[in-house]
Amino acid sequence: MKRVLALLAFTTLALAQPKELRLYTWTEYIEPAIISDFEKATGIKVRISYYESNEELLAKLQAGGDSQYDVIVPSDFIIPAMIQLRLLKPLDPAKIPNLKNLDPKFKSPPFDPGNQYTVGYLWGTVGLMYNTQVFKTPPQSWAVLFDPAQQKGRFTLMDSQREMLGIGLRYIGQSVNSTDTAALKKVIDLLLQAKNSKNSLGFQGGVSATKLLLGNQAVAAVVYNQDALRTAGGNPKYGFTIPKEGSTLFLDNMAIPARAPNPQAAHRFINFILDAKIGARLANYQNSATPNAAAKPLMKPELLKNPAVWPTEAQMKVLEFILPQGEKDKLYDEAWTRIKSR
């Protein structure tokens, strides 16, 4: 009798296990075939929702979204705030054996020591996508946006707080992580001037910005290198460059919200993405650098040689990761609010 009851209990539990995984990620940030293959391999249906900025993701989680999604893909700098607000669930390494594939450079990052809550997904840079018929040579400076005399047509700014402020800070010779109030005041004035320029198409997400460029409505756009490379598709009419003043690096990560409906499926999904072959497919699809060391040798050779994917040594010297600044993060919030509201 006890064995029968135990079997019934196990069957009931199995039936109760949700067969759905809810993924909340950046627009067009995963190859659809990878999703299909995960569904076939696990029997778990994936439902995807999209966001256009880390700030949008954070606001959604704070509004109860931490109980609506199983896997999210936040960028490095927003993660400490999510941890502090208790919006993330600790990972169970035993359920992610493919963690061994992670490049040592991306293990135990400063924003999440020990990878307690996150694991690397893809990494890249923010730069300038441009029309090569307008810019005969790659733009050398962010001045093509910030100096009215050097603007050559309509352009878009990036609708992401720390990246866009970071670019402004680099342009005036400061670190992307500077909290100097005088420097931030200069950046506010700089970005307001650019925003209110007759050539400005305002702040745009990466996908919408590239579509404006491809639709000949803009000649330049601040975008992630992944969006530029994937959208251009090798079309020589479009280029991507990192201006001489420098810009930001980013590492996007997989994480599980604190009250995820199906954390078991979430761990299976994270482990699936960390598989060497899947990781290579993901990087190839996104035209992106990968933190998956086992995946890198399986990537397309042309991507491994592309400086728009893997920045040169000289470019790396003027690229910075965005780092949290604790209490002083409010200075960025205040600066961004002033820029967006005027």
Side-chain angles (χ1 to χ4, degrees):
M1 186 64 179
K2 287 183 180 180
R3 291 180 63 186
V4 173
L5 290 174
L7 180 60
L8 287 172
F10 177 80
T11 303
T12 302
L13 179 62
L15 290 172
Q17 289 294 318
K19 290 293 183 180
E20 178 179 271
L21 178 133
R22 298 182 180 183
L23 173 64
Y24 192 33
T25 186
W26 301 85
T27 305
E28 299 180 6
Y29 207 29
I30 189 167
E31 182 188 20
I34 290 178
I35 295 295
S36 298
D37 288 347
F38 174 76
E39 291 177 332
K40 291 174 185 175
T42 64
I44 299 170
K45 177 70 176 174
V46 179
R47 286 177 56 189
I48 310 179
S49 300
Y50 303 101
Y51 53 86
E52 287 283 348
S53 72
N54 284 290
E55 291 75 23
E56 181 184 347
L57 167 61
L58 178 60
K60 183 72 173 182
L61 294 185
Q62 288 181 289
D66 65 320
S67 66
Q68 298 173 20
Y69 305 106
D70 299 301
V71 176
I72 56 174
V73 189
S75 299
D76 38 36
F77 69 88
I78 206 76
I79 289 168
M82 292 181 172
I83 294 172
Q84 185 176 12
L85 293 168
R86 299 183 180 180
L87 294 172
L88 301 182
K89 179 185 290 292
L91 299 177
D92 183 350
K95 296 178 181 177
I96 315 175
N98 283 332
L99 275 173
K100 67 180 184 295
N101 290 338
L102 200 61
D103 190 312
K105 290 186 296 186
F106 297 98
K107 290 182 178 178
S108 197
F111 55 84
D112 181 22
N115 292 103
Q116 294 184 66
Y117 297 92
T118 66
V119 61
Y121 182 76
L122 292 171
W123 73 273
T125 63
V126 174
L128 193 69
M129 185 178 177
Y130 60 94
N131 185 315
T132 58
Q133 295 176 352
V134 175
F135 297 92
K136 301 302 182 183
T137 58
Q140 295 296 302
S141 170
W142 289 112
V144 296
L145 305 181
F146 299 141
D147 181 351
Q150 297 191 49
Q151 293 171 3
K152 293 192 176 184
R154 307 300 295 275
F155 62 84
T156 68
L157 303 169
M158 177 175 275
D159 193 14
S160 186
Q161 176 180 303
R162 288 295 305 272
E163 281 95 345
M164 202 65 238
L165 289 173
I167 287 169
L169 285 164
R170 289 296 314 182
Y171 182 69
I172 65 171
Q174 299 286 320
S175 165
V176 300
N177 298 302
S178 173
T179 56
D180 179 79
T181 53
L184 285 171
K185 173 64 168 61
K186 288 181 182 179
V187 171
I188 290 170
D189 294 340
L190 186 73
L191 293 185
L192 279 173
Q193 177 178 285
K195 171 190 173 184
N196 295 319
S197 164
K198 65 179 181 180
N199 288 316
S200 174
L201 291 170
F203 295 93
Q204 302 286 340
V207 174
S208 57
T210 53
K211 286 181 178 177
L212 287 169
L213 199 67
L214 268 62
N216 294 316
Q217 298 176 62
V219 301
V222 183
V223 297
Y224 298 110
N225 64 333
Q226 299 167 345
D227 289 330
L229 291 161
R230 180 172 43 81
T231 308
N235 189 333
K237 184 179 175 181
Y238 306 100
F240 176 86
T241 190
I242 298 167
K244 63 182 180 182
E245 296 91 356
S247 185
T248 62
L249 286 167
F250 67 85
L251 173 63
D252 287 333
N253 304 265
M254 294 176 284
I256 303 175
R259 298 183 290 161
N262 196 349
Q264 190 75 15
H267 280 88
R268 293 184 70 179
F269 182 81
I270 291 171
N271 191 62
F272 186 80
I273 295 298
L274 287 175
D275 175 82
K277 291 181 180 179
I278 297 298
R281 285 173 55 189
L282 176 67
N284 286 336
Y285 176 77
Q286 291 297 144
N287 291 291
S288 175
T290 176
N292 187 331
K296 191 174 177 180
L298 305 177
M299 289 177 62
K300 296 176 183 176
E302 59 268 29
L303 277 184
L304 292 173
K305 298 174 183 177
N306 192 334
V309 178
W310 306 93
T312 65
E313 209 172 299
Q315 289 173 328
M316 288 298 292
K317 291 178 180 178
V318 293
L319 290 168
E320 296 181 80
F321 277 112
I322 294 171
L323 301 175
Q325 301 300 313
E327 284 294 315
K328 291 191 175 182
D329 278 341
K330 65 183 179 183
L331 294 174
Y332 302 126
D333 296 336
E334 291 167 0
W336 193 242
T337 298
R338 289 177 64 183
I339 293 164
K340 294 296 288 287
S341 63
R342 289 164 61 185

